[in-house]
Amino acid sequence: MNGRCISAECLGETGFSYTLSLISGKYKMTVLYTLSEFGVVRFNEMKRYIGGVSFKTLSATLKELEADGLVHREEYPQIPPKVEYSLTERGKSLMPILDGMCEWGEQNRI
């Protein structure tokens, strides 16, 4: 026992809660995983790879991750438009956590 009293604590003030707020969402972890595996990825490539995600949902997910500083969006002024996504340094710093989850999944798959 560490002597802490739950009635004096608040989950919302923990690092766990903050991290969860950044990565919770149906496709956020999937997008982060995709970018960690492939580096720079275009929108349609990501949509095809993930499968089952709508354009609207993927777009909203990418915007949220970009707003949180985890994903970088690079838009090229050409026709047709070209947009690429990659992890920021902040996003890359989450990868050891994601790698740990992948390892756990490989070891505990049924």
Side-chain angles (χ1 to χ4, degrees):
M1 298 265 278
N2 60 13
R4 293 172 56 200
C5 178
I6 194 167
S7 63
E9 303 285 336
C10 177
L11 179 64
E13 296 172 3
T14 64
F16 173 80
S17 181
Y18 177 71
T19 303
L20 199 57
S21 75
L22 295 179
I23 62 173
S24 65
K26 187 169 182 180
Y27 291 101
K28 284 186 176 182
M29 293 285 287
T30 305
V31 167
L32 293 170
Y33 172 80
T34 302
L35 293 174
S36 74
E37 287 294 303
F38 299 102
V40 178
V41 181
R42 294 180 70 177
F43 184 90
N44 285 331
E45 294 172 328
M46 190 177 312
K47 184 175 181 328
R48 249 188 321 272
Y49 177 73
I50 294 172
V53 60
S54 70
F55 285 101
K56 182 178 177 180
T57 300
L58 181 56
S59 179
T61 300
L62 286 162
K63 284 178 184 173
E64 289 174 18
L65 290 168
E66 184 183 9
D68 290 333
L70 300 175
V71 168
H72 173 71
R73 180 181 191 269
E74 185 72 37
E75 187 172 346
Y76 297 92
Q78 65 184 51
I79 297 175
K82 178 181 174 183
V83 179
E84 295 178 333
Y85 296 90
S86 60
L87 291 175
T88 62
E89 288 305 312
R90 187 172 193 222
K92 289 175 185 175
S93 72
L94 271 173
M95 291 311 102
I97 296 167
L98 198 58
D99 290 341
M101 291 175 66
C102 291
E103 287 175 29
W104 187 92
E106 289 296 329
Q107 294 171 3
N108 291 281
R109 258 199 283 204
I110 296 176

